[in-house]
Amino acid sequence: MKSPLGTGAAAYRAVAPAADRGSGIAFDGVSVAYGGVTVLEALTLTVNPGEIVALIGPSGSGKTTALRAVAGFVQPATGRIRIGTRDVTDVPPHDRNIGMVVQNYALFPHMRVDENVAFGLRARKAASALVAARVPEALAMVGMAAYARRFPRELSGGQQQRVAIARALAIKPQVLLLDEPLSALDAQIRRSMLDELARLHRELPDLTVLYVTHDQIEALTLADRIGIMRDGKLVAFGPAQALYRHPPNRFAAEFLGRANLLPVTGLEPAADGMARVRFGDVALTARNHHALPAGDECLLCVRPHDVHVEPHADTDNTLVAVVRSIQWQGDTQSVELALGEHVLRLACPPRLTLPGIGDPLPLHFRGTQATLVPVGAALG
Amino acid sequence: MLVWSRRGRLLTFVLALALFGVLYGLPLGVIALASFAGQWNNVLPSQMTLEHYVNAFRGDSFDQLRHSLVTGCVASLVALVAGTWAALALRRARRLPARVFDAIFFIPSAVPSVSVGLGLLVAFSHKPFLLNGTVWIVLIAHFVLISAFTYGNVTAGLARLPADVEQVAESLGARPGYRLRRVTLPLLAPYLIAAFSLSFALSMGELGATVMVYPPGWVTMPVGIFALSDRGSIFDAAALTMLLAATTLLVLLGLSRIPVRGSAR
Ligand SMILES: Nc1ncnc2c1ncn2[C@@H]1O[C@H](COP(=O)(O)OP(=O)(O)OP(=O)(O)O)[C@@H](O)[C@H]1O
Ligand SMILES: [Mg+2]
């Protein structure tokens, strides 16, 4: 796979063909409109069998809509949706063999936990022996075996969430759709649930997961690949790490990991996929991952963690910025600096002694840890 | 809590109780007293008797009670099914058709029930709709009058169903019928019971339309009470009223004890 980062449809399709175990999800030019307003625009995206793909994006960007289209709750105006090799665009929801977990869990309040989990099996008229075997198995998988006889209202948010996952998994679905499953939980439980979801996927490696979130940490932790949505369009899609290291456009850079972006000019390609650029009259080097042509104007993207405080500024890629504010966040200090009219953020170790507000601070970053982002890809 | 001080709360409570007593208690109390009165010329009856109850148990009032109960149960049941069906069907309908339907459902409750009775009488007195003089026309009258309430109750219940549970049920493999049976209707149960109770109570007390359409063989209790008080047998009418009220109350109490599992959060 050469560049998985392009935003062209061809790049999305250039994924490994479906293995024979598990089934993937394929959106092919899917558009959804509500009352004449298009909220999902020609979405083309493939989730490989056994893969976790996270869709992230700001509120209202169409993430849930995309998920609901897979589940069959909204009918696409154009385009096709496939699960495995089957075109499900016109298949009713109950026949799609999907496990779904929604934001508020939507447990059946009138059924006990085990009845909730058994629901899908009973709806499919599974033999009672199978139900009796599968329900405890699913509950054990999410650590809720002890709560089988409770009603949902007698459970905490995190416990309800586990039951919702067990209910979705009990039918052994081909694909699992998760819509912001952790957003109703507090930060601590969210982190441990995140670990559990990762463990769950290690136990069920064939399960294909489409995970919607607006939390980039969740996406980066869980997903093999990440799609970034904005205003109903997919503006970036690729492996999580690659997308983080080499965002294809400004929006992706800012949304995933709050990158520092500096407008630079006079691009000169150099050896080893690097390039020289100018920020004002300062010469800088960075990776030219997207192979931008000579003379181009573009953005230099460097993550806050990759900017270092350099008291002996004698290397390349040195800048002097003025400290605007310092926030101590426990395990890091977040420093905001002014660089001319631009703002630069850096994260540094908590014990590092920093100059006061308004003082100049020499900074340094490695050229290999900075990347050039095309400015023309408009999407920013 | 709107009133904080202890004294204030006590005062409010006493005031509310007094108001409640005057508005609800007094008329009922007077009827209850009248049902035991032998003679009543002063502020209070001068003589108490069980005679009116004996009359009630001796006369054809049991038939009347039976007619009322059958009418109430059948009409409420049919109205419940029809109202639920309509509410479910119109749930996903567009704004305008739903509004029009709402209006049609509610018109009968907005006009005098006598007019509804008159309308039915005229409408069903000719072939091919010749129902005049049958029990059916009574049932239809009651159905028309109470269906708006079942429809309204169920619509309100549908709007308050927990979000997404029905769609999750579908994605778990439930066909529409299964989903309706196992998810939608059980979650609606409190509203269905409330709808049935309300329409049953309304039907038990219905007079205006019934008086216009009832056949000689199907005198309901309110019609009987009306006939008695028209003849001046006020105390007998009061005894029948007490009987009707007690029966209705018993049924409503029974309905309120139907267990509803782990209702919506
Ligand atoms: N039933 C609906 N009717 C009309 N418009 C809708 C409907 N559902 C969603 N929309 C609109 O579609 C757009 C996309 O909504 P969607 O729920 O997919 O966003 P989202 O990315 O999931 O946002 P969030 O992160 O807030 O959940 C929004 O502008 C929303 O207002
Ligand atoms: Mg959403």
Side-chain angles (χ1 to χ4, degrees):
Chain A
M1 218 169 3
K2 207 190 127 251
S3 165
L5 298 173
T7 48
Y12 302 140
R13 291 202 192 93
V15 288
D20 44 16
R21 39 158 230 187
S23 21
I25 306 167
F27 293 87
D28 191 4
V30 174
S31 297
V32 174
Y34 284 118
V37 183
T38 304
V39 299
L40 194 64
E41 217 172 303
L43 176 66
T44 299
L45 178 151
T46 310
V47 187
N48 291 326
E51 188 183 33
I52 302 184
V53 165
L55 276 184
I56 67 172
S59 191
S61 55
K63 309 179 295 290
T64 298
T65 305
L67 214 62
R68 293 168 65 82
V70 180
F73 301 147
V74 289
Q75 193 62 24
T78 61
R80 313 298 299 176
I81 295 171
R82 273 177 291 121
I83 296 177
T85 51
R86 181 171 173 227
D87 186 331
V88 296
T89 317
D90 302 312
V91 172
H94 63 77
D95 205 14
R96 291 193 182 197
N97 198 28
I98 278 172
M100 188 164 186
V101 177
V102 294
Q103 192 166 345
N104 56 17
Y105 317 137
L107 295 179
F108 305 124
H110 58 301
M111 296 182 197
R112 293 178 191 277
V113 164
D114 54 355
E115 295 164 334
N116 263 279
V117 176
F119 183 89
L121 295 167
R122 296 213 170 110
R124 286 147 200 258
K125 302 194 167 61
S128 54
L130 181 70
V131 177
R134 195 77 74 71
V135 169
E137 186 185 308
L139 280 174
M141 197 148 46
V142 296
M144 287 294 292
Y147 299 86
R149 295 309 290 162
R150 295 244 188 132
F151 278 108
R153 62 166 185 277
E154 299 164 349
L155 300 178
S156 74
Q159 293 168 337
Q160 291 186 31
Q161 201 263 2
R162 288 153 197 258
V163 175
I165 291 176
R167 178 177 65 178
L169 291 179
I171 57 170
K172 301 236 159 125
Q174 292 175 287
V175 301
L176 182 63
L177 307 178
L178 300 166
D179 191 0
E180 310 209 15
L182 307 184
S183 64
L185 305 177
D186 70 43
Q188 206 175 347
I189 300 177
R190 192 183 307 184
R191 251 192 308 274
S192 73
M193 281 309 302
L194 209 52
D195 292 342
E196 287 206 32
L197 285 176
R199 172 186 61 80
L200 211 61
H201 194 248
R202 281 194 301 276
E203 287 173 15
L204 304 168
D206 294 348
L207 185 66
T208 307
V209 180
L210 186 56
Y211 188 101
V212 161
T213 176
H214 56 242
D215 184 305
Q216 41 148 328
I217 306 285
E218 287 175 25
L220 288 168
T221 310
L222 278 182
D224 300 308
R225 289 191 296 165
I226 294 177
I228 302 178
M229 309 266 312
R230 184 194 190 186
D231 297 337
K233 295 189 208 66
L234 187 69
V235 296
F237 184 50
Q241 288 205 8
L243 207 57
Y244 186 80
R245 294 222 180 101
H246 312 291
N249 51 54
R250 169 176 225 143
F251 187 76
E254 285 179 336
F255 197 82
L256 199 64
R258 294 229 301 174
N260 290 303
L261 292 169
L262 300 174
V264 292
T265 54
L267 190 150
E268 283 175 51
D272 296 333
M274 303 292 287
R276 276 185 292 279
V277 289
R278 301 198 66 77
F279 173 66
D281 46 12
V282 185
L284 300 169
T285 61
R287 282 189 177 281
N288 189 10
H289 183 86
H290 301 297
L292 304 176
D296 215 8
E297 283 183 24
C298 57
L299 297 164
L300 186 144
C301 163
V302 56
R303 301 286 169 183
H305 284 95
D306 294 330
V307 183
H308 306 288
V309 177
E310 199 75 327
H312 311 294
D314 53 349
T315 38
D316 255 2
N317 286 347
T318 332
L319 294 161
V320 179
V322 178
V323 178
R324 288 225 309 222
S325 70
I326 302 173
Q327 268 182 359
W328 186 72
Q329 294 174 335
D331 48 358
T332 52
Q333 299 185 79
S334 170
V335 187
E336 199 177 285
L337 304 132
L339 197 62
E341 76 222 41
H342 303 285
V343 176
L344 200 71
R345 271 187 220 91
L346 80 87
C348 62
R351 294 190 203 289
L352 194 69
T353 318
L354 292 164
I357 309 284
D359 291 345
L361 181 64
L363 305 168
H364 163 80
F365 60 90
R366 290 210 191 100
T368 49
Q369 290 177 340
T371 193
L372 297 177
V373 174
V375 74
L379 304 154
Chain B
M1 193 119 344
L2 282 172
V3 182
W4 278 106
S5 80
R6 250 184 107 91
R7 268 188 58 192
R9 239 182 285 166
L10 198 72
L11 200 74
T12 321
F13 182 71
V14 169
L15 216 73
L17 204 69
L19 205 64
F20 187 83
V22 170
L23 289 180
Y24 290 83
L26 203 58
L28 257 176
V30 169
I31 291 170
L33 214 53
S35 69
F36 292 105
Q39 218 174 5
W40 195 344
N41 305 323
N42 256 316
V43 178
L44 288 175
S46 47
Q47 189 192 340
M48 303 296 269
T49 170
L50 284 175
E51 189 195 329
H52 312 303
Y53 285 94
V54 176
N55 288 346
F57 282 86
R58 216 186 272 140
D60 41 12
S61 43
F62 266 106
D63 279 337
Q64 294 174 10
L65 192 59
R66 188 169 55 83
H67 296 157
S68 274
L69 274 171
V70 170
T71 309
C73 286
V74 172
S76 302
L77 214 60
V78 176
L80 186 67
V81 172
T84 307
W85 193 337
L88 285 170
L90 286 174
R91 176 149 67 140
R92 312 225 184 279
R94 290 182 177 282
R95 204 59 160 284
L96 190 66
R99 283 281 157 78
V100 170
F101 212 80
D102 275 7
I104 292 174
F105 247 125
F106 280 100
I107 282 173
S109 1
V111 298
S113 48
V114 178
S115 315
V116 173
L118 192 67
L120 289 173
L121 202 59
V122 175
F124 294 131
S125 290
H126 306 282
K127 280 190 175 164
F129 298 118
L130 185 58
L131 296 174
N132 194 358
T134 67
V135 178
W136 294 108
I137 197 164
V138 179
L139 290 175
I140 289 172
H142 282 228
F143 171 82
V144 167
L145 285 169
I146 62 185
S147 49
F149 295 92
T150 52
Y151 170 75
N153 249 318
V154 177
T155 303
L158 279 174
R160 300 199 52 184
L161 280 194
D164 295 338
V165 288
E166 294 179 279
Q167 295 193 325
V168 167
E170 271 184 49
S171 81
L172 285 169
R175 288 164 189 287
Y178 190 86
R179 190 206 70 208
L180 188 70
R181 215 151 21 87
R182 296 296 311 279
V183 178
T184 312
L185 290 182
L187 289 178
L188 277 180
Y191 298 92
L192 298 181
I193 293 171
F196 185 88
S197 304
L198 179 61
S199 41
F200 178 77
L202 285 169
S203 172
M204 288 298 275
E206 212 299 316
L207 174 65
T210 319
V211 125
M212 299 297 289
V213 298
Y214 79 95
W218 198 262
V219 178
T220 62
M221 203 110 184
V223 174
I225 293 169
F226 179 66
L228 279 179
S229 55
D230 206 31
R231 258 189 267 137
S233 315
I234 301 290
F235 300 149
D236 284 328
L240 286 194
T241 305
M242 292 312 289
L243 222 57
L244 179 67
T247 311
T248 309
L249 206 63
L250 256 160
V251 174
L252 293 186
L253 267 178
L255 285 170
S256 74
R257 293 184 65 92
I258 296 179
V260 178
R261 277 188 94 193
S263 55
R265 272 173 293 165

